[in-house]
Every structure is written in C-alpha cells, then in structure tokens.
Amino acid sequence: MNLSRDTSIALVHGLLDLLPTGDQVDVAVCPPAVYLHDVGAALRGSHLMLGAQNMHHAAEGAFTGETSGAMLTDLGCRCVILGHSERRQLFGETDACVNTKLLAAISHQLIPIVCVGETLEEREGGTTEQVIATQIRGSLAGLTAEQASTLVIAYEPVWAIGTGKTASPAQAEAVHAQIRTLLNELFGSSVGETLRIQYGGSVKPDNAAELLSQPNIDGALVGGAALKAESFAAIVKAAT
Ligand code: PGA
C-alpha cells in the first residue's frame, strides 16, 4: 500500500528508461490492485510483466471487495503473489487458504509466486526447517508435477522483511537448498531443479549480487527497494 497512481506510473517509466531491454532477466511489477490498470497500460508492449499482490480463490460471485483470477488476467496480469507474510500475519491466511488460491491462479494461467518464511522466534527456536517444510507442503498440497512446474517460490524470512535486516547469503542459500530438495521430493527433480526460488527480505542494490550468486537463489522479491526506479533497476542489473 505504497505510492500513488502517478508515482506508480512514473516508476514504470523510470524502469523502462533504465532497463530498455529485457533479454536476460524476467522482471515483473506488482502494484496494488487499484493501480493494475494504469500500471499495465504504462508497461504494455514492453518486456516488463504485470503482477498482482493477492487474489481470491473463487472464480466469481458475492465476495465484496475481493478480486478474482479472471479479473487479474483481464487486466493483463501474468503473475500473482500469494501468501505474502503480511497476508499470513495480518489477514489470517493459512497454508490451506494459499493452496486454494494457488490452484485458482494456475487455472487462470497466472504464475503464482508463493511466499514462505519463518518468524524471528521460529528461527531462534531452531524450527526454521520444519516451518518452511510445513508451509511448502501445505501451500502446494495436491499439485501435480505439471501444475507445480508453473510456480515460483519466494523465501522471505519474516524478520528480514522491511526491517533492513537481510539473511546472509549463506543463511538464505541453506533454506533455498532445503526448499529445492523438498520440491525434488514432491514433484521430481525435472520439476524441482528448474523451479525458480526467489529470496525476499531487504534486498537492496548493495546486497543483491551476492545473494543472487548463490546456487539456489534464482531471483528476488523486492519490497522497499523496488519503490524507486534507480534501486529497482540496480537490483535487476545485479541479477544479470
Ligand atoms: P522488503 O520487502 O524488500 O522491503 O524487505 C519484501 C517484501 O515485502 O516482500
């Protein structure tokens, strides 16, 4: 719930100036739902993809205030973030709820970006591995290997989101490797090895290259540093 309509559009124009071509890194911009139309118009025809921050699982119906997958595709969305830690912590979303949204997103040909991550208490209590495994198994329950092949996973330690604290490259890589092993186990290595696992949590231009150079870190889900075209573009350049 950051920026305005005008500053969101200006952000896209800034990105298009700074990232005129898109042949090496896939880049998506995921504005608040009310700005999807205008941001989508600003990036139409470019290499930038449009994504949403949330959706409802039902195809249509009496769900006042909600947005369906069909509405997102109608606006040109290619992807949708699901189960962000703020959705889980502030809006009560569970793994089961993320799972229903995930299946709906896939049925609308949207790429789901499924977020998982442990809290500080869970990390300090030594349960990170267990928490991540439970979130992955629950959020991805019932998916076929073919459905799973369309996913992006985002590992976002809750203690690193918007706090300025970043997981060290080694800490992040350890969890990414665990997620990869679990995905291989659930869907076979031909799917697990190719799925993108993004890291999120205070990714900035000065730490992006080191994080992204880890073998199992395939991309970044960026919050604060994506609100300015210069820092967003610098992170994309670090990914090349
Ligand atoms: P941050 O946010 O980059 O500001 O930590 C990440 C997120 O909200 O997913």
Side-chain angles (χ1 to χ4, degrees):
M1 225 162 67
N2 286 296
L3 302 185
S4 65
R5 190 174 78 95
D6 287 350
T7 52
S8 300
I9 294 168
L11 175 63
V12 170
H13 290 154
L15 284 176
L16 292 173
D17 286 343
L18 294 165
L19 301 169
T21 57
D23 46 1
Q24 283 180 302
V25 182
D26 292 331
V27 184
V29 179
C30 302
V34 288
Y35 299 141
L36 282 169
H37 175 269
D38 291 305
V39 168
L43 56 71
R44 189 156 303 131
S46 77
H47 60 282
L48 299 179
M49 287 186 279
L50 184 67
Q53 301 180 0
N54 183 30
M55 63 176 269
H56 193 270
H57 68 270
E60 61 179 349
F63 300 99
T64 303
E66 292 293 324
T67 310
S68 72
M71 290 169 177
L72 297 184
T73 39
D74 205 11
L75 285 173
C77 287
R78 300 265 314 277
C79 52
V80 56
I81 300 170
L82 297 176
H84 187 279
S85 72
E86 286 147 19
R87 300 294 323 164
R88 291 175 184 267
Q89 291 202 312
L90 305 175
F91 301 98
E93 290 195 12
T94 61
D95 293 329
C97 156
V98 174
N99 183 243
T100 57
K101 293 183 179 205
L102 171 58
L103 292 166
I106 293 171
S107 76
H108 289 285
Q109 282 81 46
L110 289 161
I111 301 167
I113 303 171
V114 181
C115 303
V116 295
E118 81 288 2
T119 62
L120 187 59
E121 297 69 48
E122 288 162 344
R123 175 158 285 265
E124 288 176 344
T127 58
T128 298
E129 194 169 331
Q130 196 185 317
V131 168
I132 300 296
T134 303
Q135 290 178 340
I136 294 271
R137 285 182 191 281
S139 304
L140 275 48
L143 250 65
T144 63
E146 194 189 342
Q147 287 173 320
S149 68
T150 66
L151 291 176
V152 173
I153 305 288
Y155 167 56
E156 298 209 306
V158 179
W159 49 273
I161 298 177
T163 58
K165 288 186 199 162
T166 318
S168 70
Q171 278 176 323
E173 170 59 20
V175 178
H176 281 237
Q178 180 215 331
I179 294 172
R180 180 87 62 205
T181 304
L182 185 54
L183 293 171
N184 285 343
E185 193 183 303
L186 293 171
F187 305 110
S189 59
S190 61
V191 172
E193 290 299 327
T194 56
L195 284 189
R196 290 182 196 198
I197 310 176
Q198 302 179 321
Y199 170 78
S202 301
V203 175
K204 302 205 160 47
D206 62 2
N207 61 24
E210 205 186 351
L211 285 159
L212 291 165
S213 67
Q214 301 301 308
N216 286 291
I217 301 185
D218 309 315
L221 184 54
V222 187
L227 298 176
K228 291 211 165 76
E230 294 71 25
S231 48
F232 192 153
I235 292 169
V236 174
K237 286 187 179 150
T240 63

